[in-house]
Amino acid sequence: MNIISNIEEMQQTALSLKRQGKTVAFVPTMGYLHEGHASLLREGRKRGDILVLSIFVNPIQFGKNEDLDSYPRDRERDCRTAEACGVDIVFTPDSAAMYPPGFQTGVTVRELTLPLCGASRPGHFDGVATVVAKLFSIVQADVALFGRKDYQQLAVIRRMAADLNLPVQVLGMPIIREADGLAMSSRNSYLSPAERQGALCLSRALVRVKERYAAGERSADTLKDVALAAIAQEPLATIDYLELRDGATLEPLQTADNGTILALAVKLGQTRLIDNTLLGEEL
């Protein structure tokens, strides 16, 4: 496994691979890898001749007073996970190289970034779209894999890739959960034992809505109320947003159907967690 930190070296390596006719599968991450990331890497191993993992805590997607400085990092453990999953190249650029003095170009995806996380984290998705566009270009990815836990992020990246005619297939992979249902996240490490237990209200809300939907309920307002009631039972939880939206456009709707997304963001103490499910699919 090769670890590359220099952007120019990564570009030269990627171009050499292209000349050899190699296909590149790419998993971009901010590190502190867990089983969710590992599942992307294992699938990526099947999808390309070369598997590239990037580890970069992207400063421009963090807002003021967010957790950029405290975001969990463990490069040594990440590299062990990468090697176990068959990664060929770990790309680890630094902020000064990614955003040198005078940097002033950004990528904005308009309507898709307005609701949900975009409403509560202004500018976040501009930072995501910009760094992913740069990484796609540097790595020369043929296929890129993202988890569906960050559903809006996945939608934004797909839209960006299509709109900019980027020659990369963007794949969304299933959410990986702990045995008790909590969606895996690097930020779960922030939770106290009581908050970790309280965080189960997110998946509990999703399950209850899916049960009501399976029983025939189609009113978006009624299904939203079911989820709100489930979260309200947890005293440590504060809702950021909880919405049912069209799974393709993220537009609001009155009547739920297969493919409708229930997306929520909930704070446990100082930790903000997100989760979602598509109605009509298994959780």
Side-chain angles (χ1 to χ4, degrees), residues 109-205:
V109 178
R110 291 188 289 272
E111 284 82 2
L112 278 174
T113 64
L114 296 179
L116 307 176
C117 286
S120 56
R121 302 182 70 189
H124 168 69
F125 286 116
D126 289 353
V128 169
T130 299
V131 75
V132 172
K134 285 174 65 70
L135 290 169
F136 281 176
S137 174
I138 294 166
V139 172
Q140 294 289 295
D142 294 291
V143 57
L145 298 95
F146 297 84
R148 278 191 359 195
K149 181 175 73 70
D150 294 302
Y151 188 91
Q152 187 175 15
Q153 172 180 276
L154 174 62
V156 167
I157 291 168
R158 280 177 165 158
R159 184 74 267 161
M160 176 196 72
D163 289 351
L164 299 182
N165 304 108
L166 302 181
V168 56
Q169 181 186 14
V170 178
L171 294 180
M173 301 301 295
I175 298 171
I176 303 300
R177 299 182 179 277
E178 303 285 358
D180 59 8
L182 181 66
M184 290 188 178
S185 169
S186 299
R187 288 186 170 97
N188 290 349
S189 63
Y190 297 157
L191 299 170
S192 70
E195 290 166 349
R196 172 62 179 78
Q197 186 62 31
L200 297 179
C201 69
L202 281 81
S203 57
R204 190 159 54 240

XYZ file of all heavy atoms in Angstrom, residues 109-205:
731
model
N -23.804 23.842 -5.781
C -24.990 23.172 -6.304
C -26.174 23.855 -5.624
O -26.258 23.864 -4.407
C -24.961 21.665 -6.005
C -26.222 20.985 -6.517
C -23.713 21.027 -6.628
N -27.071 24.432 -6.396
C -28.016 25.378 -5.819
C -29.163 24.729 -5.049
O -29.120 24.610 -3.827
C -28.529 26.318 -6.916
C -27.439 27.273 -7.425
C -28.001 28.319 -8.362
N -28.393 27.757 -9.637
C -27.561 27.630 -10.684
N -26.311 28.024 -10.599
N -27.983 27.110 -11.830
N -30.224 24.324 -5.719
C -31.456 23.947 -5.024
C -31.291 22.775 -4.067
O -31.859 22.768 -2.970
C -32.577 23.643 -6.031
C -33.192 24.871 -6.656
C -32.377 25.425 -7.820
O -31.333 24.808 -8.168
O -32.752 26.479 -8.376
N -30.514 21.772 -4.449
C -30.365 20.584 -3.611
C -29.714 20.881 -2.261
O -29.871 20.123 -1.311
C -29.538 19.525 -4.335
C -30.262 18.628 -5.342
C -29.262 17.736 -6.056
C -31.339 17.795 -4.673
N -28.982 21.981 -2.172
C -28.262 22.282 -0.936
C -29.059 23.178 0.009
O -28.579 23.483 1.110
C -26.923 22.977 -1.237
O -27.179 24.250 -1.846
C -26.073 22.137 -2.167
N -30.258 23.584 -0.378
C -31.006 24.550 0.438
C -31.688 23.935 1.659
O -31.657 24.532 2.739
C -32.031 25.284 -0.432
C -31.444 26.159 -1.544
C -32.563 26.801 -2.348
C -30.508 27.216 -0.972
N -32.343 22.757 1.547
C -33.056 22.230 2.720
C -32.151 21.397 3.622
O -30.934 21.312 3.427
C -34.133 21.341 2.076
C -33.473 20.803 0.839
C -32.595 21.924 0.339
N -32.761 20.804 4.646
C -32.126 19.796 5.501
C -30.801 20.311 6.073
O -30.756 21.363 6.704
C -31.956 18.478 4.719
C -33.241 17.932 4.052
C -32.929 16.685 3.238
C -34.319 17.669 5.060
N -29.707 19.593 5.872
C -28.431 20.030 6.437
C -27.974 21.365 5.858
O -27.290 22.142 6.532
C -27.352 18.977 6.195
S -27.510 17.509 7.248
N -28.361 21.643 4.625
C -27.976 22.910 4.022
C -28.585 24.105 4.720
O -27.982 25.182 4.781
N -29.798 23.939 5.268
C -30.462 25.038 5.963
C -29.800 25.325 7.304
O -29.707 26.482 7.726
C -31.936 24.713 6.165
N -29.341 24.283 7.988
C -28.758 24.474 9.317
C -27.241 24.622 9.277
O -26.632 25.017 10.280
C -29.145 23.312 10.238
O -28.756 22.073 9.688
N -26.623 24.317 8.138
C -25.163 24.453 8.004
C -24.846 25.232 6.733
O -24.354 24.674 5.749
C -24.481 23.081 7.975
C -24.740 22.202 9.190
C -23.977 20.891 9.098
N -22.542 21.088 9.246
C -21.640 20.134 9.040
N -22.016 18.923 8.659
N -20.341 20.382 9.197
N -25.108 26.541 6.724
C -24.897 27.336 5.501
C -23.452 27.225 5.004
O -22.505 27.323 5.775
C -25.210 28.769 5.960
C -26.059 28.617 7.175
C -25.609 27.351 7.844
N -23.317 27.010 3.709
C -21.994 26.907 3.100
C -21.366 25.526 3.173
O -20.357 25.267 2.497
N -21.952 24.645 3.969
C -21.365 23.315 4.142
C -21.218 22.588 2.808
O -20.139 22.057 2.494
C -22.241 22.493 5.091
C -21.918 21.032 5.132
N -20.754 20.534 5.680
C -22.606 19.945 4.666
C -20.732 19.214 5.557
N -21.837 18.832 4.953
N -22.284 22.573 2.021
C -22.235 21.782 0.789
C -21.402 22.444 -0.299
O -20.915 21.751 -1.198
C -23.647 21.471 0.298
C -24.338 20.425 1.132
C -25.472 20.733 1.863
C -23.840 19.150 1.202
C -26.104 19.775 2.641
C -24.464 18.169 1.978
C -25.591 18.492 2.701
N -21.203 23.766 -0.228
C -20.235 24.389 -1.131
C -18.845 23.823 -0.844
O -18.079 23.521 -1.767
C -20.215 25.909 -0.936
C -21.468 26.587 -1.457
O -22.309 25.906 -2.088
O -21.612 27.802 -1.228
N -18.526 23.671 0.443
C -17.239 23.094 0.811
C -17.108 21.654 0.380
O -16.048 21.219 -0.095
N -18.190 20.889 0.530
C -18.180 19.484 0.114
C -18.002 19.369 -1.393
O -17.154 18.611 -1.888
C -19.478 18.787 0.561
C -19.593 17.406 -0.094
C -19.534 18.656 2.073
N -18.814 20.118 -2.144
C -18.756 20.021 -3.607
C -17.387 20.456 -4.132
O -16.842 19.842 -5.059
C -19.858 20.875 -4.230
N -16.818 21.486 -3.536
C -15.521 21.976 -3.989
C -14.423 20.949 -3.745
O -13.630 20.631 -4.639
C -15.171 23.294 -3.282
O -16.167 24.273 -3.602
C -13.807 23.812 -3.713
N -14.374 20.389 -2.532
C -13.294 19.443 -2.249
C -13.464 18.153 -3.044
O -12.475 17.585 -3.534
C -13.190 19.145 -0.737
C -14.301 18.226 -0.248
C -11.831 18.546 -0.411
N -14.692 17.689 -3.223
C -14.894 16.449 -3.972
C -14.545 16.651 -5.443
O -13.940 15.775 -6.076
C -16.327 15.925 -3.789
C -16.595 14.744 -4.722
C -16.552 15.502 -2.343
N -14.894 17.814 -6.002
C -14.515 18.100 -7.391
C -12.994 18.090 -7.539
O -12.448 17.544 -8.512
C -15.088 19.439 -7.832
N -12.288 18.685 -6.574
C -10.832 18.684 -6.619
C -10.284 17.262 -6.508
O -9.377 16.867 -7.253
C -10.272 19.554 -5.485
C -10.402 21.048 -5.718
C -9.965 21.855 -4.510
C -8.492 21.706 -4.185
N -7.608 22.355 -5.188
N -10.822 16.488 -5.581
C -10.335 15.122 -5.387
C -10.600 14.251 -6.608
O -9.740 13.458 -7.021
C -10.973 14.516 -4.140
C -10.501 15.104 -2.802
C -11.390 14.629 -1.666
C -9.044 14.759 -2.529
N -11.784 14.381 -7.202
C -12.072 13.627 -8.426
C -11.035 13.937 -9.496
O -10.575 13.050 -10.219
C -13.468 13.979 -8.951
C -14.610 13.303 -8.242
C -15.927 13.619 -8.574
C -14.406 12.368 -7.247
C -16.998 12.999 -7.938
C -15.465 11.749 -6.598
C -16.761 12.072 -6.951
N -10.681 15.217 -9.621
C -9.717 15.634 -10.638
C -8.317 15.111 -10.341
O -7.622 14.602 -11.230
C -9.699 17.165 -10.715
O -8.684 17.617 -11.581
N -7.911 15.210 -9.075
C -6.556 14.780 -8.700
C -6.386 13.277 -8.847
O -5.386 12.786 -9.392
C -6.251 15.210 -7.256
C -6.204 16.745 -7.150
C -4.943 14.600 -6.764
C -6.241 17.254 -5.718
N -7.368 12.531 -8.373
C -7.273 11.070 -8.321
C -7.643 10.426 -9.654
O -7.274 9.289 -9.916
C -8.181 10.546 -7.179
C -8.298 9.038 -7.185
C -7.638 11.016 -5.830
N -8.367 11.173 -10.504
C -8.841 10.635 -11.787
C -9.728 9.413 -11.572
O -9.568 8.359 -12.203
C -7.652 10.286 -12.695
C -6.842 11.482 -13.152
C -7.603 12.330 -14.167
O -7.900 11.884 -15.272
N -7.928 13.552 -13.783
N -10.693 9.575 -10.677
C -11.560 8.456 -10.303
C -12.482 8.059 -11.450
O -13.041 8.912 -12.144
C -12.394 8.838 -9.082
N -12.656 6.758 -11.630
C -13.656 6.236 -12.567
C -14.966 5.942 -11.859
O -16.036 6.088 -12.437
C -13.132 4.955 -13.231
C -11.938 5.218 -14.107
O -12.106 5.861 -15.156
O -10.825 4.796 -13.737
N -14.862 5.493 -10.610
C -16.039 5.234 -9.792
C -15.719 5.704 -8.377
O -14.599 5.525 -7.890
C -16.435 3.732 -9.811
C -15.300 2.852 -9.358
C -17.678 3.487 -8.972
N -16.697 6.366 -7.748
C -16.515 6.855 -6.381
C -17.663 6.358 -5.523
O -18.819 6.338 -5.971
C -16.448 8.379 -6.353
N -17.347 5.956 -4.300
C -18.346 5.338 -3.430
C -18.571 6.200 -2.191
O -17.613 6.650 -1.545
C -17.893 3.936 -3.012
C -17.708 2.941 -4.156
C -16.252 2.906 -4.613
C -18.154 1.546 -3.767
N -19.858 6.402 -1.879
C -20.271 7.210 -0.737
C -21.356 6.472 0.026
O -22.184 5.774 -0.564
C -20.825 8.572 -1.193
C -19.828 9.446 -1.893
C -19.581 9.286 -3.251
C -19.142 10.424 -1.201
C -18.660 10.088 -3.906
C -18.219 11.241 -1.841
C -17.978 11.070 -3.197
N -21.387 6.655 1.338
C -22.442 6.066 2.146
C -23.731 6.872 2.053
O -23.705 8.095 1.930
N -24.858 6.177 2.151
C -26.151 6.851 2.061
C -26.578 7.499 3.371
O -27.598 8.176 3.407
C -27.236 5.864 1.597
C -27.244 5.692 0.106
C -28.409 4.955 -0.493
N -29.431 4.454 0.397
C -30.345 3.568 0.047
N -30.314 3.051 -1.172
N -31.257 3.153 0.896
N -25.783 7.343 4.445
C -26.130 8.061 5.672
C -26.124 9.564 5.409
O -26.981 10.291 5.894
C -25.167 7.718 6.803
C -25.516 8.428 8.121
C -24.626 7.987 9.250
C -23.236 8.559 9.110
N -23.216 10.033 9.341
N -25.139 10.034 4.646
C -25.101 11.426 4.206
C -25.860 11.534 2.882
O -25.270 11.770 1.824
C -23.662 11.888 4.049
C -22.932 11.936 5.386
O -23.391 12.647 6.292
O -21.911 11.241 5.516
N -27.177 11.344 2.962
C -27.995 11.212 1.754
C -27.975 12.490 0.917
O -27.865 12.445 -0.309
C -29.432 10.868 2.144
C -30.321 10.511 0.968
C -30.449 9.188 0.558
C -31.027 11.487 0.270
C -31.255 8.846 -0.520
C -31.834 11.161 -0.813
C -31.937 9.841 -1.196
O -32.734 9.519 -2.271
N -28.096 13.633 1.578
C -28.101 14.886 0.835
C -26.741 15.126 0.178
O -26.662 15.594 -0.961
C -28.457 16.044 1.767
C -28.655 17.375 1.044
C -29.120 18.472 1.987
O -29.034 18.331 3.203
N -29.620 19.562 1.433
N -25.677 14.796 0.893
C -24.341 14.905 0.305
C -24.232 14.068 -0.954
O -23.700 14.517 -1.977
C -23.299 14.458 1.317
C -21.894 14.336 0.760
C -20.897 13.880 1.801
O -20.387 14.686 2.550
N -20.628 12.581 1.855
N -24.732 12.841 -0.904
C -24.703 11.961 -2.071
C -25.467 12.578 -3.233
O -24.996 12.576 -4.376
C -25.296 10.601 -1.696
C -25.484 9.588 -2.827
C -24.168 9.220 -3.472
C -26.192 8.337 -2.280
N -26.646 13.142 -2.944
C -27.442 13.782 -3.998
C -26.703 14.967 -4.604
O -26.721 15.169 -5.836
C -28.787 14.221 -3.431
N -26.058 15.751 -3.760
C -25.320 16.925 -4.230
C -24.155 16.504 -5.125
O -23.931 17.082 -6.199
C -24.818 17.749 -3.025
C -23.783 18.788 -3.457
C -25.992 18.435 -2.326
N -23.418 15.493 -4.716
C -22.258 15.045 -5.498
C -22.702 14.440 -6.826
O -22.070 14.671 -7.870
C -21.418 14.065 -4.671
C -20.754 14.824 -3.509
C -20.363 13.377 -5.528
C -20.145 13.943 -2.461
N -23.782 13.684 -6.811
C -24.296 13.143 -8.072
C -24.696 14.264 -9.030
O -24.402 14.222 -10.226
C -25.501 12.244 -7.792
C -25.143 10.853 -7.320
C -26.374 10.055 -6.988
N -26.074 8.637 -6.872
C -26.825 7.768 -6.198
N -27.924 8.186 -5.582
N -26.475 6.490 -6.132
N -25.368 15.279 -8.498
C -25.800 16.404 -9.325
C -24.596 17.152 -9.880
O -24.557 17.526 -11.049
C -26.665 17.337 -8.484
C -27.285 18.524 -9.212
C -28.434 18.088 -10.094
N -27.997 17.807 -11.453
C -28.695 17.083 -12.315
N -29.841 16.546 -11.967
N -28.249 16.885 -13.533
N -23.601 17.388 -9.024
C -22.392 18.083 -9.452
C -21.684 17.320 -10.572
O -21.294 17.889 -11.594
C -21.448 18.255 -8.274
C -20.121 18.891 -8.639
S -18.861 18.661 -7.366
C -18.493 16.914 -7.541
N -21.526 16.013 -10.373
C -20.824 15.205 -11.370
C -21.564 15.219 -12.707
O -20.942 15.315 -13.773
C -20.657 13.775 -10.873
N -22.900 15.146 -12.647
C -23.688 15.179 -13.881
C -23.616 16.552 -14.541
O -23.403 16.667 -15.761
C -25.139 14.808 -13.582
N -23.784 17.612 -13.746
C -23.818 18.965 -14.303
C -22.483 19.375 -14.900
O -22.442 20.133 -15.886
C -24.220 19.968 -13.227
C -25.692 19.855 -12.822
O -26.432 19.115 -13.495
O -26.086 20.510 -11.844
N -21.378 18.912 -14.315
C -20.047 19.285 -14.792
C -19.451 18.254 -15.743
O -18.290 18.368 -16.133
C -19.103 19.493 -13.603
C -19.493 20.610 -12.623
C -18.439 20.745 -11.530
C -19.694 21.932 -13.337
N -20.280 17.257 -16.119
C -19.834 16.224 -17.062
C -18.541 15.544 -16.604
O -17.648 15.259 -17.405
C -19.641 16.806 -18.464
C -20.890 17.480 -18.986
O -20.940 18.702 -19.078
N -21.903 16.704 -19.300
N -18.475 15.267 -15.305
C -17.292 14.582 -14.779
C -17.378 13.092 -15.109
O -18.415 12.471 -14.878
C -17.200 14.786 -13.263
C -17.149 16.237 -12.786
C -17.045 16.298 -11.269
C -15.981 16.989 -13.429
N -16.313 12.508 -15.625
C -16.359 11.107 -16.066
C -16.187 10.134 -14.910
O -15.261 9.316 -14.882
C -15.197 11.032 -17.053
C -14.201 12.004 -16.511
C -15.006 13.133 -15.924
N -17.088 10.220 -13.928
C -17.002 9.362 -12.755
C -18.396 8.851 -12.414
O -19.374 9.597 -12.475
C -16.380 10.116 -11.554
C -17.151 11.377 -11.230
C -16.277 9.211 -10.335
N -18.491 7.579 -12.111
C -19.741 6.985 -11.645
C -19.808 7.131 -10.136
O -18.907 6.687 -9.426
C -19.803 5.505 -12.035
C -21.089 4.807 -11.601
C -21.061 3.311 -11.875
O -20.010 2.741 -12.151
N -22.217 2.676 -11.794
N -20.877 7.774 -9.642
C -21.034 8.001 -8.208
C -22.006 6.967 -7.661
O -23.182 6.939 -8.046
C -21.540 9.424 -7.926
C -21.752 9.628 -6.427
C -20.557 10.460 -8.467
N -21.522 6.122 -6.755
C -22.334 5.045 -6.197
C -22.689 5.350 -4.749
O -21.821 5.730 -3.951
C -21.577 3.713 -6.253
C -21.269 3.126 -7.633
C -20.515 1.817 -7.473
C -22.544 2.923 -8.427
N -23.950 5.162 -4.398
C -24.400 5.280 -3.017
C -24.554 3.903 -2.406
O -25.214 3.029 -2.979
N -23.965 3.700 -1.241
C -23.952 2.395 -0.600
C -24.775 2.424 0.682
O -24.950 3.469 1.313
C -22.511 1.976 -0.286
C -21.610 1.907 -1.520
S -22.208 0.736 -2.760
C -22.045 -0.788 -1.842
N -25.312 1.270 1.096
C -26.216 1.214 2.252
C -25.579 1.726 3.539
O -24.365 1.639 3.736
C -26.552 -0.278 2.363
C -26.301 -0.844 1.010
C -25.156 -0.055 0.453
N -26.441 2.252 4.425
C -26.011 2.676 5.751
C -25.607 1.443 6.558
O -26.314 0.435 6.567
C -27.149 3.429 6.474
C -27.520 4.700 5.699
C -26.766 3.769 7.909
C -28.769 5.389 6.228
N -24.480 1.528 7.235
C -24.025 0.449 8.121
C -24.339 0.860 9.551
O -24.008 1.973 9.978
C -22.520 0.182 7.955
C -22.202 -0.150 6.488
C -22.085 -0.958 8.860
C -22.914 -1.367 5.937
N -24.986 -0.039 10.283
C -25.460 0.271 11.631
C -24.800 -0.614 12.673
O -24.368 -1.735 12.378
C -26.988 0.106 11.692
C -27.721 1.042 10.748
C -29.243 0.918 10.841
N -29.875 1.852 9.921
C -30.090 3.137 10.191
N -29.781 3.604 11.392
N -30.642 3.934 9.302
N -24.761 -0.086 13.896
C -24.363 -0.903 15.031
C -25.445 -1.949 15.283
O -26.552 -1.868 14.733
C -24.190 -0.027 16.277
C -23.203 1.116 16.127
C -21.757 0.663 16.151
O -21.516 -0.546 16.321
O -20.872 1.527 15.985
N -25.139 -2.919 16.119
C -26.094 -4.003 16.385
C -27.417 -3.477 16.946
O -28.476 -4.066 16.713
C -25.474 -5.013 17.345
N -27.365 -2.353 17.671
C -28.590 -1.802 18.256
C -29.295 -0.806 17.350
O -30.284 -0.193 17.748
C -28.308 -1.170 19.626
C -27.274 -0.046 19.560
O -26.882 0.350 18.443
O -26.859 0.433 20.639
N -28.802 -0.610 16.137
C -29.491 0.220 15.159
C -28.890 1.579 14.906
O -29.245 2.240 13.919
N -27.984 2.065 15.750
C -27.396 3.386 15.548
C -26.531 3.387 14.294
O -25.683 2.512 14.106
C -26.552 3.785 16.763
C -25.902 5.172 16.698
C -26.966 6.262 16.717
C -24.918 5.363 17.850
N -26.755 4.367 13.426
C -25.941 4.487 12.221
C -24.496 4.787 12.597
O -24.228 5.657 13.434
C -26.491 5.589 11.329
N -23.555 4.076 11.998
C -22.153 4.305 12.301
C -21.721 5.686 11.826
O -22.080 6.129 10.734
C -21.286 3.231 11.647
C -21.445 1.875 12.291
S -20.243 0.687 11.660
C -20.666 -0.738 12.667
N -20.955 6.363 12.664
C -20.468 7.707 12.368
C -19.213 7.955 13.172
O -19.102 7.508 14.324
C -21.534 8.755 12.724
O -20.992 10.065 12.683
N -18.272 8.680 12.587
C -17.071 9.054 13.333
C -17.428 9.889 14.549
O -16.757 9.831 15.581
C -16.108 9.830 12.424
O -15.702 9.035 11.325
N -18.497 10.666 14.442
C -18.886 11.548 15.545
C -19.543 10.778 16.701
O -19.739 11.362 17.772
C -19.819 12.648 15.036
C -19.105 13.698 14.187
C -20.033 14.855 13.811
N -19.295 15.959 13.218
C -19.163 16.175 11.912
N -19.746 15.337 11.060
N -18.480 17.212 11.457
N -19.869 9.517 16.520
C -20.401 8.735 17.650
C -19.400 8.673 18.798
O -19.782 8.478 19.955
C -20.752 7.308 17.208
C -21.971 7.259 16.293
O -22.690 8.250 16.142
N -22.197 6.114 15.680
N -18.126 8.855 18.485
C -17.097 8.805 19.528
C -17.225 9.959 20.515
O -16.659 9.906 21.611
C -15.701 8.820 18.895
O -15.474 10.035 18.194
N -17.953 11.014 20.138
C -18.150 12.144 21.041
C -19.152 11.826 22.160
O -19.192 12.524 23.173
C -18.713 13.355 20.286
C -17.860 13.959 19.205
C -18.453 14.705 18.184
C -16.481 13.822 19.194
C -17.700 15.291 17.191
C -15.714 14.402 18.193
C -16.336 15.141 17.193
O -15.587 15.726 16.210
N -20.004 10.842 21.964
C -21.156 10.632 22.845
C -20.743 10.061 24.195
O -19.937 9.128 24.276
C -22.149 9.674 22.181
C -22.764 10.132 20.848
C -23.535 8.987 20.205
C -23.673 11.338 21.050
N -21.328 10.610 25.253
C -21.198 9.998 26.571
C -22.031 8.719 26.584
O -22.869 8.504 25.695
C -21.709 10.956 27.647
O -23.129 11.083 27.557
N -21.847 7.841 27.580
C -22.673 6.632 27.633
C -24.172 6.927 27.612
O -24.936 6.237 26.918
C -22.240 5.969 28.943
C -20.820 6.395 29.118
C -20.768 7.805 28.607
N -24.609 7.951 28.348
C -26.038 8.291 28.364
C -26.488 8.812 27.016
O -27.586 8.486 26.534
C -26.325 9.319 29.454
N -25.645 9.631 26.364
C -25.982 10.164 25.038
C -25.989 9.054 23.996
O -26.831 9.053 23.089
C -24.989 11.253 24.645
C -25.141 12.520 25.469
C -23.957 13.458 25.326
O -22.905 13.043 24.744
O -24.052 14.594 25.809
N -25.050 8.109 24.147
C -25.015 6.971 23.202
C -26.311 6.179 23.282
O -26.869 5.766 22.245
C -23.803 6.088 23.538
C -23.726 4.767 22.767
C -23.592 4.978 21.282
N -23.503 3.717 20.573
C -24.516 2.917 20.290
N -25.743 3.249 20.670
N -24.332 1.799 19.625
N -26.824 5.959 24.468
C -28.092 5.261 24.621
C -29.226 6.109 24.071
O -30.125 5.608 23.389
C -28.336 4.935 26.093
C -29.561 4.072 26.360
C -29.485 2.695 25.722
O -28.389 2.134 25.566
N -30.627 2.147 25.331
N -29.198 7.406 24.373
C -30.242 8.301 23.883
C -30.272 8.415 22.368
O -31.329 8.645 21.774
N -29.109 8.233 21.719
C -29.027 8.359 20.264
C -29.847 7.302 19.537
O -30.156 7.459 18.340
C -27.565 8.274 19.817
N -30.245 6.259 20.245
C -31.071 5.220 19.615
C -32.446 5.749 19.222
O -33.165 5.097 18.462
C -31.217 4.020 20.551
C -29.920 3.288 20.889
C -30.200 2.142 21.846
C -29.244 2.778 19.621
N -32.802 6.938 19.709
C -34.094 7.510 19.318
C -34.146 7.791 17.822
O -35.246 7.802 17.236
C -34.405 8.769 20.129
S -33.361 10.193 19.773
N -32.991 8.017 17.182
C -33.004 8.283 15.742
C -33.497 7.064 14.967
O -34.459 7.152 14.192
C -31.612 8.683 15.244
C -31.169 10.120 15.488
C -30.663 10.306 16.911
C -30.085 10.528 14.498
N -32.832 5.925 15.172
C -33.240 4.728 14.435
C -34.613 4.249 14.884
O -35.381 3.702 14.072
C -32.202 3.609 14.607
O -31.994 3.298 15.963
N -34.957 4.477 16.160
C -36.278 4.093 16.644
C -37.368 4.874 15.903
O -38.406 4.311 15.525
C -36.367 4.338 18.149
C -37.613 3.764 18.803
C -37.408 3.592 20.303
N -36.976 4.822 20.955
C -35.832 4.958 21.618
N -34.979 3.953 21.723
N -35.521 6.101 22.197
N -37.124 6.159 15.661
C -38.080 6.971 14.919
C -38.244 6.463 13.486
O -39.365 6.390 12.958
C -37.634 8.434 14.915
